[in-house]
Amino acid sequence: MIAIGLMSGTSLDGVDAILVEISNGKYNPIKFVTLPYEESFKKRILKNLSDASAKLSEISSLNYELGDKFVDAIDLLLKDTIYSYKTVDFVASHGQTIWHDPKGEKCEGAVPSTFQIGEPSVISYKTGIKTVSNFRTMDVAAGGEGAPLVPYSE
């Protein structure tokens, strides 16, 4: 099975993408790339990490723009390999966290919540590859901290 993992972390340096082969419960990394963000894009995300400066219209646009950047990262990752959209079984996309409050403590009356952008439907539509996402969301819904994959990396 061939898979792609996508991540945009808190450093906001860009999209990290890895191509792996999964066989018999083990994975073999094939290629890794980082697609850097333009400084103006990074600033727009940073602006929308704060309650004081966030705008719903910008967050909505950034959600789709980041989906496009994830597709660009996939294209860069597959470049100069034998792999194509048709040979990749799935994409796992973490997205970009813009709000994370797993205990519901950041504002009065809040419930535990988290929010990632980087619309997975954009990735799936433009590549035709099955795309899974929202890993933090399910973990927070189940009472976790929103880091369900950490135990697997230890």
Side-chain angles (χ1 to χ4, degrees):
M1 178 178 298
I2 302 298
I4 293 174
L6 301 172
M7 171 85 177
S8 174
T10 56
S11 65
L12 295 175
D13 57 348
V15 178
D16 293 329
I18 189 165
L19 181 67
V20 298
E21 179 181 22
I22 302 169
S23 179
N24 299 321
K26 297 182 180 181
Y27 71 94
N28 176 42
I30 298 168
K31 185 177 178 183
F32 175 83
V33 299
T34 297
L35 178 70
Y37 288 147
E38 305 84 13
E39 193 60 32
S40 60
F41 186 75
K42 180 177 176 176
K43 285 179 181 177
R44 288 176 55 225
I45 292 176
L46 281 169
K47 175 186 172 211
N48 284 284
L49 296 177
S50 165
D51 279 341
S53 56
K55 288 185 67 178
L56 289 174
S57 58
E58 289 180 11
I59 291 169
S60 183
S61 181
L62 285 167
N63 184 38
Y64 281 75
E65 290 174 62
L66 190 53
D68 285 330
K69 290 194 182 298
F70 285 163
V71 172
D72 293 343
I74 290 170
D75 291 343
L76 179 63
L77 184 67
L78 296 177
K79 184 179 177 185
D80 299 325
T81 72
I82 62 170
Y83 302 97
S84 68
Y85 293 167
K86 291 184 186 298
T87 60
V88 175
D89 295 292
F90 69 93
V91 171
S93 178
H94 177 277
Q96 172 65 55
T97 302
I98 63 168
W99 179 257
H100 190 65
D101 185 12
K103 299 290 185 199
E105 302 169 332
K106 293 187 177 178
C107 63
E108 189 175 329
V111 298
S113 64
T114 188
F115 187 57
Q116 284 68 230
I117 60 172
E119 185 55 50
S121 294
V122 171
I123 301 166
S124 182
Y125 178 76
K126 291 193 172 184
T127 65
I129 305 170
K130 181 186 302 182
T131 302
V132 294
S133 63
N134 291 327
F135 310 116
R136 280 186 181 241
T137 306
M138 179 63 87
D139 193 57
V140 169
E145 292 290 321
L149 303 180
V150 170
Y152 292 106
S153 65
E154 294 178 340

